[in-house]
Amino acid sequence: MIQQRSKIAKFQSLIALLLMCVVLSLLSDKFLTFANGWNVLRQISVNVCISVGMTLVILTAGIDLSVGSILAFSGAIAAGLLKFGIALPTYDLYIGFTLLGALLAGTLVGAALGTFNGFVITKFKVPPFVATLAMLTIARGFTMLWTKGYPISSLGKEFSFIGTGWFLGIPVLVWIAAIVVLLATILTNRTAFGKYIYAIGGNESAAKLSGININSVKIWVYALAGILAAVGGIMVTSRLNSAQPNAGLSYELDSIAAVVIGGTSLAGGRGTIIGTVLGAMIIGVLNNGLVLMDVSPFWQQVVKGVVILLAVIIDKANHKEE
Amino acid sequence: MKHLNIWALLLLLCLGCGNKNKDGQPKQIAIVVSTLNNPWFVFLAESAAEKAKALGYTSKIFDSQNNTALETDHFENAIAAGYDAILFNPTDAEGSVVNATKATDADIPVFCMDREINSRTAATSQILSDSYAACVQLGKLFVGDLDRQGNYAEILGIVSDNNTWNRSKGFHSVVDNFPDLKMVAQQSAEFDRNKAMEVMESILQAHPDIKGVFCGNDAMAMGAYQATVAAGKEDQVKIYGFDGAEDAVNAVKDGKINATAMQFPKLIAEKAATLADAYFKGERNFRKKLPIAVDVVTPKNIDQYIAYGKKN
């Protein structure tokens, strides 16, 4: 009996997703089409990338509230460098950036801010909630300083290919998300590093006693979350062909929602990457379906909240026996 | 030559005029803006600061982050710090009244910029851009462009923001008189470009036949445009924005979006700073409300405009 229930628990997100899809396709004949399917996948690809990073963090019983701001800053850095380069008139120096250079620089910025998060959390014992809350405003401030509050637009065809192009019949954004998911799944399931992440979240003292370098693992995890936020930032910027100073506002909440709906425990130690992907899909399908049916924007917020609650309540009930 | 004399006179006036406090410090102006998360308001605040500087005053910009409670803090701080005037872009028509009253009671003049507060006494003067009237004009254009019939969608801004509804109501006051124009979707994208793109993608799925979309600001109009391009429907769907931001002005020029409403943040901000200047010089009779017209910008008249204003 218990075994049966935990089997169902494993697939609860998948069942919920399929159920929603069935209901939505009954309610709207526009839902179950190829074009709409690609729409939903494209729309969730950014959230999937961020949420994968968030999953790693939450598995260690941490949290990262700064992903939305890091996303905005990295995207703006990439866009700004690509468009304007760096000019140092005092030294009569101008550094131009190729597309690859700009993308790399944006990603490095994300990695640096993420590493800083991890450093503050491990060396100064600042709770992750507080440390990343501080980074949320710091990185947003950096974004404002860098963009001076104005969007950086018209970034060229090559750059916008990432956000709008197709490769082998699949949108580039979906490719990126899929690769990120694949790598993260291998990382969590097949590597020692993955085992350490689960061990730290499960029981930090025990993990320490068994000789895991907890600080180093944690710093890496926050760095990865920063890198993935930066990747998300490049995706958003490229999709709009414009870096918006207010990009990524409240994305941390969408991403935490995806992780939680996907069955990852906020207490750490339990959860999967694939669960998070399903969680992001549930949110994406919900967003898309509610607009397709033209549900009032006021009600949409209520519905999304209720779905999150239901997901967590069901998850709790299924894991009582353990 | 005549002009030169006037300028010389002005210069003399400025040099000699009383823009200093008793202890010789220049007067300080606080610029309290609803948000700096939107380029339009950044431009408004910067224009006000520039004009204040040109008039010989120091100024500081306060960002209320769309939060009326934070705005209260800014007002209290500005009053305590002894600012001499406040150029004010309120977060909320009702909620901000208390804040403005607080300053007025402390004998600090308050000049509202762009957005209105619902009180005739709380502010010294209000320089307002008339969103409602502009959207009435946009509505008329919309009806003509769509030939009075067909399905359309509306993308709203933040649903708790009164600008969102001012614009929407102005638009609907015209468009709702035409029963053959049917609004098949009304969704919010929170003034955000990315959200507007996602919402528009979904709307285009549900209603592939829509002929037009009215967006509550330019960022959302640009997002909606991107979605129509992705769906290959950029020729079918007519797009309307609001603000007169740089991207949108360029897009109107290129025929990507059909029209936007040009507000004049620079004009509004400079007017507010000028009124503060007049107040310092002893003027006390101000018109309670100074409406600043909003122009509808289409490909026909786009040549007269640049981002956030008219070409000189």
Side-chain angles (χ1 to χ4, degrees), chain B residues 286-306:
Chain B
F286 292 99
R287 273 178 65 190
K288 281 292 164 190
K289 279 185 190 176
L290 283 171
I292 303 269
V294 179
D295 292 359
V296 169
V297 179
T298 63
K300 276 182 202 149
N301 64 2
I302 184 72
D303 292 336
Q304 302 167 28
Y305 297 91
I306 50 168

Side-chain angles (χ1 to χ4, degrees), chain A residues 30 33 35-36 39 42-43 144 148-151 153 239-240 242 244 246 251 288 291-292 294-295 298 300, chain B residues 36-37 39 42-43 46 159 165 184-188 193-194 197-199 201-203 205-206 226 247:
Chain A
K30 302 297 188 326
T33 64
N36 196 48
N39 265 346
R42 251 200 328 252
Q43 291 173 1
M144 289 309 191
K148 301 185 183 71
Y150 295 96
S153 300
R239 196 160 135 79
L240 299 172
S242 164
Q244 305 278 308
N246 61 348
Y251 275 27
N288 174 261
V291 174
L292 280 187
D294 199 30
V295 174
F298 301 116
Q300 291 185 18
Chain B
L36 290 179
N37 246 333
V42 176
F43 190 76
E46 283 175 354
V159 288
W165 297 111
V184 289
Q186 184 182 41
Q187 290 294 329
S188 165
R193 190 159 165 163
N194 190 38
M197 183 175 179
E198 291 180 2
V199 164
E201 281 173 343
S202 301
I203 290 176
Q205 286 299 319
Q226 236 110 18
D247 282 353

Side-chain angles (χ1 to χ4, degrees), chain B residues 48-70:
Chain B
E50 258 168 47
K51 186 68 181 178
K53 196 176 170 202
L55 290 164
Y57 308 113
T58 61
S59 67
K60 188 168 180 260
I61 298 172
F62 296 84
D63 176 8
S64 308
Q65 299 176 6
N66 277 328
N67 176 347
T68 313
L70 187 58

Side-chain angles (χ1 to χ4, degrees), chain A residues 125 199-200 203-215:
Chain A
K125 305 291 171 213
I200 290 174
N203 186 338
E204 191 166 329
S205 332
K208 202 172 196 170
L209 286 176
S210 60
I212 298 172
N213 185 342
I214 291 177
N215 285 0

Side-chain angles (χ1 to χ4, degrees), chain A residues 165-227:
Chain A
W166 294 67
F167 180 68
L168 298 181
I170 293 172
V172 177
L173 287 177
V174 177
W175 274 113
I176 298 174
I179 291 167
V180 164
V181 168
L182 185 71
L183 291 179
T185 310
I186 294 172
L187 183 79
T188 48
N189 290 349
R190 297 284 154 88
T191 65
F193 184 77
K195 286 199 186 78
Y196 297 161
I197 292 177
Y198 281 99
I200 290 174
N203 186 338
E204 191 166 329
S205 332
K208 202 172 196 170
L209 286 176
S210 60
I212 298 172
N213 185 342
I214 291 177
N215 285 0
S216 132
V217 172
K218 278 192 179 172
I219 292 177
W220 268 106
V221 163
Y222 284 94
L224 283 173
I227 290 172

Side-chain angles (χ1 to χ4, degrees), chain B residues 206-250:
Chain B
H207 309 284
D209 62 332
I210 56 167
K211 289 167 66 185
V213 57
F214 176 69
C215 304
N217 79 346
D218 280 343
M220 296 195 294
M222 293 306 295
Y225 170 72
Q226 236 110 18
T228 57
V229 173
K233 289 182 189 275
E234 66 266 41
D235 293 329
Q236 173 198 319
V237 184
K238 296 190 164 66
I239 301 169
Y240 300 79
F242 196 102
D243 273 349
E246 189 175 5
D247 282 353
V249 168
N250 289 334

Side-chain angles (χ1 to χ4, degrees), chain B residues 17-33:
Chain B
C17 69
N19 60 358
K20 306 260 168 162
N21 278 343
K22 281 157 240 150
D23 50 353
Q25 291 294 312
K27 284 201 187 289
Q28 307 176 65
I29 297 178
I31 301 165
V32 183
V33 250

Side-chain angles (χ1 to χ4, degrees), chain A residues 93-110:
Chain A
L93 196 67
Y94 171 80
I95 308 168
F97 278 79
T98 61
L99 180 58
L100 195 67
L103 297 184
L104 216 58
T107 315
L108 278 178
V109 164

